[in-house]
Amino acid sequence: MEYRTEHDSMGEMKVPLDAYWGAQTERSHENFIIGTEKMPEEVIRAFSILKKAAALTNHSLGRLSDKKCELISKVCDEIYEGKLQEHFPLVVWQTGSGTQSNMNVNEVIANRGNELAGEKLLHPNDDVNMSQSSNDTFPTAMHIAAVTELRERLLPAIKELAATLERLEEENQGVIKCGRTHLQDATPIAFSQEISGWRYMLINNMEQIELSLGSLSKLALGGTAVGTGLNCPPGFAEGVAERISELTGHGFVSDENKFHALTSKDALCFSHGALKALAANLMKIANDVRWLASGPRLGLSEISIPANEPGSSIMPGKVNPTQCEAVTMVAVQVMGNDASIGFAASQGNFELNVFMPVIIYDYLQSVRLLSDCIRSFNKNCVSGIKADRDKMKANLHNSLMLVTCLNPYIGYENAAKVAKKAYAEGVSLRDACLGLGLMSAEEFDQAFRPEEMV
């Protein structure tokens, strides 16, 4: 491999000849050979938005020339479009402030811009990082990435699944089945009602996620090193927030207290709590689906789900609820991420939190996994759910808990006697009730109407 020599404030470094990064990125690349987890592409794209907005704002304030602003903006567009992704090699496990990734972006923009200009015009610190510090740019990039992924990726996926469930509700109106609590038979429920419970979980999750967007829309940019705004001109923080809003199409504002913005990660912690709640609901829905589809002969088998692939390497014809299993594994990962984000967010010592790369890595992983698994679950499982109405009816009429409708007529204790006699003797509730002399046949038939118990 051929190399060129780059320098920073610590001296010279050899950098691969075809790499746009510089000395500071190379130091991190060599000093942190830890794991395989790279800084997420979503963060790099967020930085491209941030740096372009900063350049435009500095230009409007008379601090950056037309040519430099144009070059920075052009390279930022290339980064946003993913054309330069191979020039961002740094791992998550680096400095906790994300300084090295900020400088990675600065160096790539400067070197690529200078290549376009045909002269050494841009400096990574003096021009690309003008009016900024890693301490305010990295948390700003975190918030831009989080808001963008929530609005453009996760919320649309949830809405699609909710729409499928709404369709299933309509298709299954009037289908009555046995309800279950504690994995035991309970009183009847309409299948559409059961599905509506799943759908409203998602509606509630969307509301919780939307609520978290308020805090995530507040940006740290303008606080520079410790929140005081040193070397940041008046109007920069507000101007850059407006431009970020224009570039993303999502509303952002300058955080009113930069000391809070730099040291606290409560917005991401709170927002990920909503993601954990979504994961918990998805775990419940997926488990319900696979229980209801269990069998096909010796389980509940009240619904059928699409058969997507063979389920066993040894048992011919076996089909498993694989989409449900994928959802539940994602849910477990998200819950683990929530724990690490909570621990990391608690470590805001003095003026800066230095666990930011792991926070945003875990956060974005959760958003990505949830979005992808919801779309897969919707497409490959939920959209193909079919109710076995005959099985539901048979199970319903075989349930001992239908005896609950007799409580107003014979009382709780007598109804319990009926259920126990029916179970012990393997007879119907009707035969048990008549056998105990608690009701006449006519009275029983008038009171016992399972389809009206919902």
Side-chain angles (χ1 to χ4, degrees):
M1 181 182 288
E2 295 185 74
Y3 294 88
R4 71 180 191 276
T5 300
E6 289 272 351
H7 77 277
D8 60 13
S9 60
M10 293 184 69
E12 295 184 342
M13 288 291 293
K14 287 185 177 180
V15 176
L17 186 62
D18 58 353
Y20 285 130
W21 68 75
Q24 292 195 53
T25 302
E26 185 61 27
R27 291 186 193 280
S28 180
H29 196 209
E30 294 180 12
N31 291 338
F32 296 94
I33 305 175
I34 305 173
T36 60
E37 296 82 5
K38 303 294 185 184
M39 189 60 63
E41 291 183 23
E42 299 93 334
V43 173
I44 303 304
R45 285 199 300 272
F47 260 115
S48 72
I49 293 167
L50 182 163
K51 296 296 179 179
K52 181 176 181 178
L56 292 169
T57 305
N58 281 320
H59 176 261
S60 70
L61 295 173
R63 305 192 76 209
L64 196 67
S65 70
D66 294 349
K67 182 65 173 176
K68 289 182 177 181
C69 181
E70 181 184 345
L71 285 172
I72 292 172
S73 297
K74 187 169 185 178
V75 179
C76 286
D77 289 343
E78 290 183 348
I79 294 172
Y80 184 82
E81 293 165 6
K83 296 178 179 178
L84 306 177
Q85 189 56 40
E86 68 272 21
H87 298 281
F88 300 97
L90 301 187
V91 296
V92 171
W93 319 109
Q94 53 166 279
T95 174
S97 63
T99 298
Q100 290 143 12
S101 282
N102 178 47
M103 285 308 305
N104 185 183
V105 175
N106 290 335
E107 289 176 341
V108 168
I109 292 172
N111 285 329
R112 172 59 176 156
N114 290 337
E115 180 181 68
L116 292 172
E119 60 177 313
K120 199 161 186 177
L121 191 65
L122 295 175
H123 188 279
N125 298 83
D126 295 337
D127 299 311
V128 186
N129 203 58
M130 180 183 289
S131 309
Q132 307 152 59
S133 162
S134 298
N135 295 354
D136 64 353
T137 59
F138 200 88
T140 296
M142 291 168 75
H143 280 209
I144 294 171
V147 169
T148 301
E149 291 301 294
L150 290 179
R151 289 200 180 280
E152 298 181 8
R153 191 169 190 165
L154 182 56
L155 287 171
I158 302 172
K159 289 176 183 177
E160 290 172 13
L161 179 55
T164 297
L165 292 173
E166 187 171 23
R167 171 179 62 79
L168 289 173
E169 278 181 65
E170 295 171 358
E171 291 176 0
N172 289 280
Q173 290 291 331
V175 178
I176 311 301
K177 63 184 288 290
C178 181
R180 296 178 178 89
T181 60
H182 304 270
L183 290 181
Q184 303 295 305
D185 304 339
T187 55
I189 187 173
F191 188 37
S192 60
Q193 292 173 329
E194 193 167 47
I195 296 170
S196 77
W198 301 339
R199 183 167 65 88
Y200 268 80
M201 289 179 193
L202 300 180
I203 291 172
N204 208 43
N205 288 142
M206 286 191 283
E207 291 174 352
Q208 292 164 346
I209 292 169
E210 289 278 2
L211 181 63
S212 77
L213 287 168
S215 293
L216 289 175
S217 68
K218 298 178 181 180
L219 303 180
L221 209 59
T224 65
V226 295
T228 60
L230 181 67
N231 293 343
C232 178
F236 176 82
E238 294 74 20
V240 80
E242 290 178 12
R243 285 174 173 81
I244 290 172
S245 299
E246 293 168 2
L247 292 171
T248 62
H250 308 303
F252 290 96
V253 296
S254 180
D255 196 309
E256 61 270 26
N257 190 301
K258 301 300 188 297
F259 307 104
H260 160 263
L262 267 60
T263 197
S264 174
K265 301 300 124 202
D266 54 4
L268 285 157
C269 194
F270 177 79
S271 182
H272 198 275
L275 302 186
K276 180 177 70 172
L278 172 61
N281 280 342
L282 289 172
M283 174 79 84
K284 184 263 190 294
I285 294 169
N287 278 333
D288 282 358
V289 169
R290 62 177 170 181
W291 270 108
L292 290 171
S294 61
R297 289 188 173 178
L298 305 181
L300 296 178
S301 197
E302 291 188 344
I303 65 171
S304 64
I305 57 178
N308 297 319
E309 60 272 320
S312 173
S313 61
I314 190 173
M315 293 175 280
K318 193 173 193 298
V319 178
N320 296 329
T322 51
Q323 290 293 320
C324 298
E325 291 164 8
V327 170
T328 55
M329 285 192 288
V330 165
V332 168
Q333 182 64 51
V334 172
M335 291 174 190
N337 285 347
D338 194 70
S340 64
I341 288 172
F343 286 128
S346 72
Q347 301 301 308
N349 302 124
F350 302 117
E351 278 63 63
L352 187 68
N353 177 289
V354 291
F355 286 71
M356 289 191 287
V358 71
I359 289 174
I360 196 59
Y361 179 84
D362 286 350
Y363 184 96
L364 292 174
Q365 183 192 58
S366 291
V367 174
R368 192 182 313 115
L369 289 175
L370 287 168
S371 303
D372 291 349
C373 88
I374 287 171
R375 285 208 160 95
S376 181
F377 186 47
N378 184 34
K379 176 184 176 183
N380 299 309
C381 182
V382 179
S383 62
I385 288 176
K386 302 293 183 185
D388 186 331
R389 301 189 179 197
D390 292 337
K391 185 64 179 289
M392 286 182 174
K393 184 176 182 179
N395 285 345
L396 174 66
H397 285 271
N398 197 37
S399 171
L400 296 174
M401 290 305 100
L402 295 178
V403 77
T404 307
C405 70
L406 303 182
N407 286 2
Y409 303 96
I410 62 175
Y412 180 92
E413 292 191 12
N414 281 333
K417 291 177 183 178
V418 171
K420 290 178 181 178
K421 180 178 176 65
Y423 180 67
E425 299 178 8
V427 298
S428 69
L429 290 172
R430 188 177 191 276
D431 290 344
C433 187
L434 269 57
L436 289 171
L438 295 170
M439 300 179 81
S440 68
E442 184 179 354
E443 289 172 332
F444 183 90
D445 291 342
Q446 189 171 5
F448 191 79
R449 299 178 184 273
E451 286 73 15
E452 296 179 5
M453 293 175 68
V454 299

